[in-house]
Amino acid sequence: CVATFLMMTSFLSTINHFQMVSTVALPDDDIFTLDIVSKIHVDHDSTAKASSDFGRIVEAIPNGVFHPTSPADIAAVIRLSISQSKPFTVAPRGQGHSARGQALAPGGIVIDMRSMGRGNHGYHANVSSDELWVDVGGEQLWIDVLHATLEHGLAPRIWTDYLHITVGGTLSNGGIGGQAFRHGPQISNVHELDVVTGMGEMITCSQDKNSDLFFAALGGLGQFGVITRARIALEPSPKRVLWVRIAYSDVESFTSDQELLISKRSNGSGFDYIEGQVQLNRTLTEGRRSSSFFSASELDQLAELVLRTGSNAIYYIEGAMYYNDDTASSVNQKLERQLEELSFAPGFVFVRNVSYLEFLDRIGREEQKLRSAGVWDVPHPWLNLFVPKSRILDFDASVFKGILRDAKPVGLILMYPMNKDMWDDRMTPATPDEDVFYAVGLLRSAVAAGDLERLEGENAAVLEFCDREGVGCKQYLPHHASPDGWRRHFGEKLGRVAAMKRRYDPRAILSPGQGIFPTGA
Ligand code: FAD
């Protein structure tokens, strides 16, 4: 069996395989008992699929793709790696929806986490209706978590905009969305984790148990272990949603209304979800003529607003008000009351009445449209930033009305504030040092020749502006090409991040695509 494995795989080709495996003391003979060998696929099709991601910018071929069916399988492959004098790298891959190679393992092993769903490891959305939590596997898609919990009349409190990504993938970053102002990011809504560390140990951790690993793994960019189970907080799920977009022609009113809505000052905190978008002039005049929300005629109305006000951009708040049968009769008044507090362009309120599921899976529908138009599988040079509230108007002036002033309409720009006190600073993500900061997502696609270079140039100019002007931005879903970039990214947290790495992945084999630590020590 070992000999077959060694003949099949090329991933350890620089070493004398047979000698190496036969002389190294493997901890529990896991490799034999769990038959991990047959779960490593080294054929071209398998490795090619794991060599790129949603971003389609970076490519790196692994030497094999591992298909575990249990956490013990994952532990075994990690222990096999670290038992070598020169360990191979190991990258868990959820949906591979990262943009810059974060889930790739050049010359190493990619763990196809989705194959865990075909195993029988017992975490298939076990719901506790009494204690309001769900246990889910790290490989599970949020859309499946939603369906499973809705059967109990419950749902997680905070959602990413897109649900066809994995629990382990978003918890390794943060998991932000329009409910974060109230509940914090997804990582603030986790009670417990099972993690397989870079030492091949399977550890259960929480705020009270092995808490250093718990805090490190949440937002940990896959550096400290593989999340195989998460216990996630639930709330009673609403049935329906008033889904609202409110347009502004000036950024000052837009941001001060957003900040009011996420603060406790607002009348009854009417919205359960608050995000926002920036529509650059050319997006409205040359972009797609309908969206999952706006009809063609509504887009025309918005384009007229741009012309009338001479604004280079319009902004809209996207809000959602949840309701049930018993609150159906009062939700419209609640919306009216909330709107009275706001200073949007008169008449520019657009309301949809949809089911909760329809609302949450809105980007899933958009994906289908983009796929049929052939513009889903294209390069995505996305740039996500957290911008401190005190600098958001400078950012708007220099970026939206400067660097991107005449930008081609190729994608989406998100902009919405969050409350820092909903983030736990013991966790790994880096956030700006202000009570309120904005998530700004330049979520653009390279659809035509030359787009990628141009968009990358614009991203570089935005980052250069932030550095030069000392804006204090932090990247979300970060990518830094140099150790200095990571040093500045983590700031004061760097010492703790490095110490946790030494403790839980001392050979530096995990998630090498993040490029934070030199790999394979
Ligand atoms: P992958 O890309 O497969 O992995 C991401 C990183 O996590 C890699 O380093 C990988 O090695 C590591 N990893 C994966 N699984 C595990 C695990 N089980 N344990 C430990 N490490 C692991 N993000 C938001 O926060 N909010 C949004 O609203 C949002 N919207 C999005 C919309 C779209 C259309 C897309 C494509 C992405 C969006 N994202 C959003 C970003 C998304 O959360 C991240 O890209 C996330 O990493 C995707 O999950 P994935 O399963 O594809 O992870």
Side-chain angles (χ1 to χ4, degrees):
C1 162
V2 174
T4 319
F5 164 58
L6 294 174
M7 283 189 313
M8 272 169 51
T9 61
S10 58
F11 77 93
L12 297 170
S13 56
T14 54
I15 309 172
N16 178 337
H17 300 168
F18 193 84
Q19 194 185 8
M20 176 189 65
V21 173
S22 57
T23 55
V24 164
L26 285 176
D28 293 317
D29 279 350
D30 287 330
I31 181 173
F32 307 111
T33 53
L34 292 166
D35 189 19
I36 61 168
V37 173
S38 68
K39 294 175 183 168
I40 297 176
H41 297 189
V42 294
D43 58 286
H44 175 74
D45 262 14
S46 303
T47 54
K49 275 187 200 141
S51 65
S52 184
D53 60 16
F54 179 77
R56 288 182 177 250
I57 296 166
V58 181
E59 263 195 31
I61 303 179
N63 277 332
V65 179
F66 181 51
H67 295 270
T69 52
S70 70
D73 279 354
I74 295 175
V77 90
I78 288 175
R79 287 154 87 182
L80 174 63
S81 167
I82 59 171
S83 67
Q84 315 304 317
S85 57
K86 189 173 181 348
F88 51 88
T89 56
V90 174
R93 177 187 177 95
Q95 280 291 81
H97 274 25
S98 295
R100 294 189 183 269
Q102 286 93 335
L104 307 187
I109 292 286
V110 167
I111 304 181
D112 174 4
M113 291 301 292
R114 298 306 317 284
S115 61
M116 292 281 282
R118 295 190 281 278
N120 188 26
H121 66 101
Y123 302 141
H124 299 284
N126 297 332
V127 173
S128 166
S129 302
D130 296 335
E131 294 181 31
L132 294 180
W133 50 250
V134 60
D135 271 341
V136 291
E139 77 288 353
Q140 291 184 28
L141 298 182
W142 284 102
I143 183 76
D144 296 331
V145 176
L146 174 61
H147 284 296
T149 53
L150 281 180
E151 281 178 21
H152 300 260
L154 299 169
R157 303 187 285 215
I158 148 87
W159 296 98
T160 49
D161 295 346
Y162 177 61
L163 307 185
H164 301 253
I165 44 185
T166 66
V167 168
T170 70
L171 293 186
S172 295
N173 283 295
I176 59 169
Q179 302 87 353
F181 79 95
R182 181 173 293 157
H183 299 295
Q186 288 177 328
I187 51 174
S188 299
N189 291 273
V190 176
H191 295 309
E192 195 175 85
L193 295 174
D194 283 347
V195 177
V196 182
T197 69
M199 305 283 283
E201 307 151 308
M202 297 190 273
I203 297 182
T204 298
C205 55
S206 67
Q207 296 223 13
D208 307 316
K209 193 157 94 186
N210 301 309
S211 58
D212 61 345
L213 179 59
F214 180 73
F215 293 125
L218 289 169
L221 304 172
Q223 295 306 299
F224 312 102
V226 180
I227 297 169
T228 54
R229 177 186 62 102
R231 178 166 291 179
I232 292 159
L234 300 177
E235 65 181 4
S237 58
K239 278 204 171 135
R240 297 200 61 84
V241 174
L242 281 190
W243 179 17
V244 184
R245 287 187 178 176
I246 308 163
Y248 294 76
S249 56
D250 71 294
V251 67
E252 288 84 2
S253 307
F254 168 66
T255 49
S256 69
D257 278 0
Q258 279 192 319
E259 287 164 25
L260 173 73
L261 289 171
I262 68 155
S263 76
K264 314 233 160 38
R265 286 174 291 136
S266 174
N267 272 346
S269 302
F271 287 115
D272 297 289
Y273 159 107
I274 294 159
E275 289 198 5
Q277 290 191 22
V278 183
Q279 294 261 335
L280 301 177
N281 196 341
R282 286 184 65 187
T283 317
L284 284 166
T285 48
E286 299 168 31
R288 283 197 297 145
R289 295 323 299 149
S290 71
S291 73
S292 59
F293 187 94
F294 289 122
S295 65
S297 68
E298 287 169 339
L299 287 173
D300 288 343
Q301 262 178 277
L302 291 165
E304 266 169 45
L305 177 66
V306 175
L307 289 176
R308 180 150 47 84
T309 56
S311 165
N312 180 57
I314 60 152
Y315 307 81
Y316 52 79
I317 293 179
E318 178 169 78
M321 244 175 220
Y322 299 162
Y323 70 96
N324 283 310
D325 296 343
D326 57 337
T327 43
S329 58
S330 55
V331 70
N332 286 312
Q333 289 100 301
K334 186 174 160 194
L335 176 61
E336 289 300 319
R337 273 201 308 281
Q338 185 69 83
L339 293 178
E340 278 166 18
E341 281 190 293
L342 307 178
S343 312
F344 51 91
F348 282 84
V349 178
F350 306 86
V351 184
R352 305 281 175 269
N353 192 331
V354 293
S355 74
Y356 181 58
L357 180 62
E358 238 178 299
F359 172 67
L360 290 181
D361 198 24
R362 59 200 180 279
I363 308 294
R365 291 195 302 283
E366 193 71 4
E367 173 183 358
Q368 295 315 318
K369 285 192 195 164
L370 294 173
R371 279 191 186 282
S372 352
V375 290
W376 181 261
D377 291 323
V378 296
H380 295 98
W382 286 10
L383 177 65
N384 285 278
L385 296 170
F386 290 154
V387 182
K389 169 185 149 178
S390 65
R391 303 301 300 274
I392 195 68
L393 295 181
D394 300 342
F395 186 93
D396 173 79
S398 298
V399 174
F400 300 133
K401 297 181 177 118
I403 297 165
L404 303 183
R405 187 181 172 82
D406 297 314
K408 250 178 89 180
V410 282
L412 192 67
I413 300 178
L414 295 182
M415 174 169 162
Y416 60 92
M418 286 180 285
N419 293 309
K420 172 134 174 151
D421 64 359
M422 299 310 301
W423 292 69
D424 189 327
D425 214 32
R426 292 170 294 181
M427 295 174 188
T428 302
T431 54
D433 199 12
E434 283 192 18
D435 291 350
V436 171
F437 56 85
Y438 279 76
V440 177
L442 305 181
L443 311 183
R444 301 181 302 155
S445 315
V447 289
D451 277 358
L452 182 59
E453 293 69 25
R454 192 177 42 74
L455 292 169
E456 288 288 57
E458 289 170 1
N459 287 343
V462 172
L463 289 171
E464 200 269 324
F465 155 76
C466 292
D467 276 355
R468 192 184 61 238
E469 298 299 321
V471 174
C473 292
K474 295 286 181 189
Q475 282 190 41
Y476 176 60
L477 311 170
H479 168 74
H480 296 282
S482 68
D484 190 50
W486 284 111
R487 215 169 288 127
R488 283 187 287 131
H489 176 79
F490 286 119
E492 286 176 0
K493 280 190 180 176
L494 184 67
R496 187 167 12 120
V497 170
M500 288 297 101
K501 185 71 173 174
R502 281 194 298 277
R503 175 152 189 193
Y504 289 109
D505 181 24
R507 308 289 302 276
I509 61 168
L510 293 175
S511 296
Q514 297 279 3
I516 305 172
F517 298 99
T519 51

